[in-house]
Amino acid sequence: QADIAMYYAKDKGRDNAQFFTSEMANVVTKKFGIDKEINDALASNQFALVYQPKVGRDGQDILGLEALIRWHHPDKGFISPAEFIPIAEESSLIVKIDEWVIDNALKQMSQWRTQDLEIVPIAVNLSGRHLVSDSLVPYVADRLAKYQIPGSMLEFEITEGVLLQDIQRCVEVLTELKALNIKISIDDFGTGYSSLSYLKRLPLDTLKIDQSFVEECDTHTEDAKICETIIHLAHNLELMIVAEGVETASQADTLASLGCEIFQGYYFYKPMSADAIPSLFSQRLVLS
Ligand code: C2E
Ligand code: MG
Ligand code: MG
Ligand code: MG
C-alpha cells in the first residue's frame, strides 16, 4: 500500500499533500493491472507490427516504412497504442516494448531482404526514456549485426518533448546512433513546447509535420502558413520534411505546393500488415 501511494504521489509533486482516496486507489490498480497485462502480452505474442509507407510527391515511390505497434488483447480486443504507450512510458516497460519493436522490425526486414525485395528504410518510434538509457545503442548495434542490416536502413522517430529533458544526453546518444548510420526524425514536429535551439545542436535528418497542422492546411490560411514555415525551416537546416496524416488529395496538393517532398497518410496508404508489403514493391516495379 505504501509503495502504491508513493507511486501515485510521484506524479503529483512532493509539495502537494495527498490523501490516498479510493478513487486514487482505482487509478493505481488500473495502472498496475495494465503493467501486468503488457508483460503478459510480450510473453505471449499479443503484439504485432503494421507498416505505413512514406511516399514521394507523385504517390508512387515508396521511400520508407514506419513500423507501428498493434495490440490484440485476447479478451479486450484491439487496444490502441495511443492508450497503452503513454502508460508503458511511465515505467521501464516501454524499453521492453521498444526493444520488441526494434527486434521484430529488423527481423522482418531481414526476411524481406532474403526475398530479394528492394526494401526501403524502416522507421521505429522510440520513447524518450529509452533514448537516454545506456542500453539503447548496444542493443541496436547487436540487432543490426544479428540480422545483418546496415544502420542506414533504420530510422528512429522521437518527439520534441523528449529532447528538452536532457539535451546533453540526447546529443551524446544521437551522435552514437549517427555513427551507426541510423537516421533520426523528429515526430509530431510543432506540437512540443520546444525552443528551436535544439535543432542546431542535434544530428537530425528529418522533421515530420504533425497531423494537426496538415488537417486544415488546405482550408485555413494559418495552418498553411505554419506548414510553409516548418518546411522552410527544415530546408534551411538541410533537413528532410515529411507530412503526417495526409488524408485528401487537396491536402497533398497544398503541401506539395508549399515544398513538401515526402507524404504519409491514409490518402496514400494506411498502416498495413507485413504480408501486404512485398506486393507493394513488386507492383511498383511493374509500373515503372
Ligand atoms: P505517430 O508515430 O505520430 O504515428 C502516427 C499515427 O497516426 C499512427 O497511429 C497512424 O496509424 C496514424 N495515421 C497515419 N496516417 C493517418 C491519417 O491519414 N489520418 C489519421 N487520422 N491518422 C493517421 P497509431 O498507430 O495509433 O499510433 C499512435 C502513436 O502511438 C504514434 O504516433 C506513436 O507516438 C505511438 N506508437 C505507435 N507505435 C509505437 C511503437 O512501436 N513504439 C512507440 N514507442 N510508440 C509507438
Ligand atoms: Mg511516428
Ligand atoms: Mg506523428
Ligand atoms: Mg503521434
Side-chain angles (χ1 to χ4, degrees):
Q1 192 78 355
D3 278 359
I4 291 176
M6 263 174 60
Y7 190 88
Y8 188 81
K10 204 175 63 189
D11 288 349
K12 289 287 169 187
R14 276 186 211 113
D15 305 337
N16 231 335
Q18 287 291 335
F19 296 93
F20 195 68
T21 64
S22 63
E23 192 194 320
M24 285 149 69
N26 283 338
V27 170
V28 170
T29 311
K30 201 173 155 208
K31 218 200 296 260
F32 281 119
I34 292 177
D35 281 7
K36 185 188 175 307
E37 296 206 62
I38 291 174
N39 269 315
D40 293 347
L42 283 164
S44 63
N45 267 326
Q46 292 168 28
F47 290 119
L49 290 180
V50 290
Y51 298 88
Q52 187 179 33
K54 301 174 189 179
V55 299
R57 212 177 257 255
D58 60 359
Q60 297 287 329
D61 287 330
I62 293 163
L63 305 174
L65 297 171
E66 178 176 3
L68 295 159
I69 196 167
R70 295 291 175 263
W71 184 1
H72 302 280
H73 192 281
D75 312 318
K76 293 173 187 157
F78 175 73
I79 305 175
S80 163
E83 215 174 302
F84 69 86
I85 292 288
I87 294 168
E89 279 178 337
E90 291 174 31
S91 72
S92 56
L93 263 183
I94 190 63
V95 175
K96 288 198 208 170
I97 293 179
D98 281 353
E99 288 182 349
W100 183 90
V101 174
I102 292 167
D103 184 66
N104 280 270
L106 292 177
K107 191 190 296 170
Q108 181 61 70
M109 185 183 270
S110 74
Q111 282 166 16
W112 284 328
R113 278 160 65 96
T114 58
Q115 293 168 36
D116 279 339
L117 283 172
E118 186 206 346
I119 204 71
V120 291
I122 292 187
V124 166
N125 294 283
L126 204 64
S127 88
R129 181 190 281 263
H130 196 187
L131 182 74
V132 297
S133 82
D134 291 336
S135 65
L136 175 68
V137 174
Y139 182 82
V140 175
D142 176 74
R143 290 310 136 123
L144 288 172
K146 175 177 176 190
Y147 297 115
Q148 300 194 11
I149 307 282
S152 57
M153 296 299 278
L154 182 63
E155 179 169 347
F156 285 126
E157 298 192 4
I158 49 184
T159 54
E160 284 167 276
V162 164
L163 303 173
L164 295 176
Q165 288 162 22
D166 187 349
I167 182 91
Q168 192 45 50
R169 178 69 189 137
C170 287
V171 172
E172 279 167 28
V173 178
L174 293 188
T175 305
E176 290 178 62
L177 293 174
K178 293 308 299 183
L180 296 170
N181 287 321
I182 294 167
K183 302 206 169 53
I184 311 293
S185 280
I186 303 297
D187 206 348
D188 305 344
F189 185 77
T191 59
Y193 348 62
S194 50
S195 88
L196 292 173
S197 63
Y198 75 85
L199 288 177
K200 67 175 186 193
R201 294 191 55 194
L202 295 169
L204 305 174
D205 298 283
T206 305
L207 302 183
K208 296 187 78 177
I209 308 179
D210 190 63
Q211 185 182 4
S212 60
F213 303 120
V214 167
E215 213 172 347
E216 296 187 315
C217 70
D218 55 335
T219 51
H220 286 68
T221 322
E222 293 80 4
D223 293 273
K225 294 275 180 207
I226 290 171
C227 289
E228 185 179 29
T229 304
I230 295 173
I231 292 165
H232 285 174
L233 176 68
H235 287 163
N236 284 336
L237 294 170
E238 295 178 350
L239 301 172
M240 310 246 270
I241 188 95
V242 176
E244 297 193 88
V246 180
E247 292 184 346
T248 67
S250 166
Q251 291 166 353
D253 290 346
T254 304
L255 290 159
S257 74
L258 297 174
C260 186
E261 298 122 352
I262 308 175
F263 304 80
Q264 196 180 16
Y266 296 169
Y267 175 65
F268 297 102
Y269 291 102
K270 291 195 170 173
M272 50 182 83
S273 71
D275 299 349
I277 297 295
S279 71
L280 215 66
F281 285 91
S282 48
Q283 196 185 1
R284 189 176 70 103
L285 291 178
V286 172
L287 283 174
S288 61

